[in-house]
Amino acid sequence: MSGEPISEREMLTLFEAARWAPSTFNEQEWRFLYARRDTPQWPIFFGLLAEGNQKWCVRAALLSVIVAHKVFQRNGQPNPVHVFDTGAAYENWPCKARRWASSFTHARL
């Protein structure tokens, strides 16, 4: 992490990558909560990290928490694979960031 901020456009590109993940009945039951460095939300998210993680995240451009609906929106029934689907959405995020970072001489994210 270089300490450089992430632009709105760059951040939305990551969210777009997550949006394309497969999900049961196309529920897209995940939600990303986030804070960019130097925003009022940053101290809240940073405070959620374990002390050991704070040491290496202090220069991060973005911190994110991913949550998932446990029931289907379409019928209110339990969704037994909500965690799997949410994991698929997360998987797209670092893959996109990795491809992105490889085009730079140093990782920006």
Side-chain angles (χ1 to χ4, degrees):
M1 288 173 264
S2 68
E4 294 179 47
I6 186 171
S7 72
E8 181 88 7
R9 181 174 177 259
E10 291 168 328
M11 181 185 68
L12 293 176
T13 299
L14 295 173
F15 289 132
E16 180 68 9
R19 186 178 75 85
W20 283 97
S23 64
T24 308
F25 300 115
N26 200 29
E27 282 275 317
Q28 297 184 342
E29 60 268 47
W30 53 83
R31 298 295 179 266
F32 284 79
L33 309 174
Y34 67 91
R36 290 192 296 180
R37 196 174 2 120
D38 300 325
T39 65
Q41 296 80 20
W42 180 266
I44 297 166
F45 279 70
F46 193 77
L48 295 173
L49 296 169
E51 186 176 335
N53 291 335
Q54 287 179 348
K55 292 176 184 175
W56 64 269
C57 288
V58 71
R59 293 173 47 109
L62 177 79
L63 296 176
S64 180
V65 174
I66 309 167
V67 297
H69 292 282
K70 291 182 176 184
V71 298
F72 289 113
Q73 292 179 345
R74 64 189 193 97
N75 62 13
Q77 295 298 311
N79 179 350
V81 295
H82 69 280
V83 173
F84 181 84
D85 289 351
T86 301
Y90 168 73
E91 183 270 340
N92 282 6
W93 178 294
C95 285
K96 177 64 176 176
R98 179 72 177 162
R99 282 191 304 270
W100 200 359
S102 68
S103 67
F104 296 95
T105 56
H106 63 278
R108 294 188 61 202
L109 303 174

